[in-house]
Structures are given as C-alpha cells and as structure tokens.
Amino acid sequence: MKPVIIGICGGSGSGKSTVTKSIFEHTGEARCTIIRQDNYYKDQSHLPFEEREKTNYDHPFAFDNALLISHIRALKANQAVDMPEYDFTAHNRKRETIRIEPKKIILLEGILLFSEPEILSLLDMRIFVDTDSDVRILRRIRRDMRERGRSLDSVMEQYLTTVRPAHLQFVEPSKRYADIIVPEGGHNRVAVDLIQTKIDQILLASKNDLTNTD
C-alpha cells in the first residue's frame, strides 16, 4: 500500500494541531506519522538576525516548497526522508533533522498547503479547519508568548501587518479545495469522528487487499 497523504489546512490558531493530534492518536504511531509545513520554512543562515526577524511567516514565499514536495513524493514512494526543524526564536532552520519513515497514513499539517497547486495535487484527502478569527488570534497570542518568547505588542503588530492580510489572500480562498471542512477547530468531535471513521475504512480496505493478494 502506498501511504495515504492527508492534508490538514486552516488559519493560524484554527485548531489544525488539535485535529492532527486527535487523528494521530486514534490511528496509532505504528500506522501514522506527522509532517508539519512549519518545519519547511526556508533556511536563512545567509541573513543577519535583524533581517531574519522581518520574516513574513504567513506568505508562500517563506516556505521551501520544493523540499517539501520532494519529501512528499519520496514518502509516497515508500522512501524515508530527513525532515528539517525550525527555530522560531532564531528565525532560522536548525542543524538537526528528524528521520521520517513512510507509514500507511501521513498527516501533512500547515496554513498554506492548499494554496500551492503541486502540494494540493499530492494530497489524497483535504481537510480544512475553519475557526472564527477572534478565537484564532487569541490562540496565536497565547502560543507565541508562551512558546516563542514574543511580546503581546509584537504578536498584535504581526497579526495586523502580515497574518490577517495573508489569511484573507491565501488561506481563506483555499478552503474551496477542501474535501471536508471542520468548523470550530478540534472541538467539533462529530467532524473529527467522521474523519477517523473514513481513515479506518481506508486501512481496513488496505488490509483486505493484502489478504486477498495472499
């Protein structure tokens, strides 16, 4: 069985990670792995820190999509990849990488997955997590202050100057490409349960195919 690539998209703070975690825990580590688009921000070692601080993380140009696409293709071909890691405090890619082995279900999570046509074409299932903007900004403030050492003023300024405009230009329009839209982030248990049921059916069909082949 070739790995099934499931794209989980939505605005920053929408609850993508909650949905992704729920699916991962239900499916199990033996059969499922996670690739996050955030890991594929471009290496900026050639820039001084002052310039790296100005990075617009919500624009498609910030991502090394060529590398991400090559890794998705490799995983689909049942080949392992070395996923990069990113340090948001240094605004740069880390030296370390994470070895990702191909598994039956690969969850690909990111804000701009559906706005990149080549990535979109590689997805077997497309899920969009749709959450109100006021909830998303509150979640982003909490995450950036706790996990990335940001001040409230810097988070608000970034939201108004880059996050919101990029969401309206790139993320929101890409919702039309979704197979499934999950309202209210990861708290919509009915939607998440339906997704998990579909994944169970895919895995069962794969198991039956192998049995019939034998």
Side-chain angles (χ1 to χ4, degrees):
M1 170 186 175
K2 288 186 177 181
V4 174
I5 312 293
I6 300 176
I8 303 172
C9 187
S12 177
S14 62
K16 297 184 303 301
S17 295
T18 301
V19 172
T20 301
K21 181 181 178 183
S22 179
I23 296 171
F24 176 80
E25 290 178 347
H26 174 84
T27 308
E29 187 176 356
R31 300 185 295 176
C32 184
T33 193
I34 300 172
I35 298 284
R36 290 190 169 84
Q37 191 181 24
D38 280 5
N39 287 56
Y40 289 84
Y41 282 114
K42 290 178 179 176
D43 182 82
Q44 302 191 104
S45 301
H46 60 290
L47 297 174
F49 181 78
E50 292 75 17
E51 288 299 314
R52 300 200 303 266
E53 278 188 302
K54 301 174 184 177
T55 301
N56 180 357
Y57 288 115
D58 295 273
H59 195 283
F61 290 161
F63 292 97
D64 189 347
N65 282 322
L67 180 61
L68 176 55
I69 289 166
S70 71
H71 281 186
I72 298 172
R73 292 189 183 278
L75 289 166
K76 270 184 168 283
N78 284 304
Q79 300 169 3
V81 301
D82 293 313
M83 182 175 66
E85 288 192 85
Y86 199 86
D87 185 346
F88 286 94
T89 58
H91 302 284
N92 202 11
R93 192 177 289 178
K94 295 181 180 180
R95 294 179 181 272
E96 299 83 8
T97 58
I98 302 171
R99 188 71 169 175
I100 301 293
E101 299 289 341
K103 296 184 180 179
K104 293 180 179 179
I105 302 294
I106 295 173
L107 305 177
L108 178 59
E109 174 199 335
I111 61 173
L112 294 172
L113 295 177
F114 297 174
S115 63
E116 177 60 43
E118 195 166 356
I119 294 176
L120 196 65
S121 70
L122 294 171
L123 302 177
D124 300 297
M125 186 189 302
R126 305 162 184 172
I127 300 167
F128 190 94
V129 183
D130 196 19
T131 303
D132 290 342
S133 58
D134 55 346
V135 176
R136 288 190 287 105
I137 180 57
L138 288 173
R139 289 175 177 172
R140 186 178 178 112
I141 289 171
R142 181 172 57 188
R143 180 201 67 188
D144 285 1
M145 292 183 69
R146 287 182 178 180
E147 300 176 15
R148 301 181 181 177
R150 303 279 302 283
S151 68
L152 176 60
D153 287 344
S154 70
V155 177
M156 293 301 297
E157 181 181 1
Q158 183 184 33
Y159 178 79
L160 293 173
T161 58
T162 63
V163 178
R164 186 175 183 276
H167 180 87
L168 295 175
Q169 183 178 357
F170 301 112
V171 182
E172 186 66 25
S174 75
K175 181 166 62 175
R176 67 182 183 270
Y177 299 117
D179 300 309
I180 302 167
I181 295 176
V182 180
E184 301 305 321
H187 300 291
N188 190 321
R189 287 305 316 173
V190 173
V192 173
D193 287 347
L194 287 172
I195 293 168
Q196 292 174 344
T197 298
K198 177 61 178 176
I199 293 172
D200 288 343
Q201 291 173 350
I202 292 171
L203 293 170
L204 179 60
S206 170
K207 183 178 180 180
N208 289 339
D209 287 345
L210 290 173
T211 301
N212 292 336
T213 299
D214 294 341

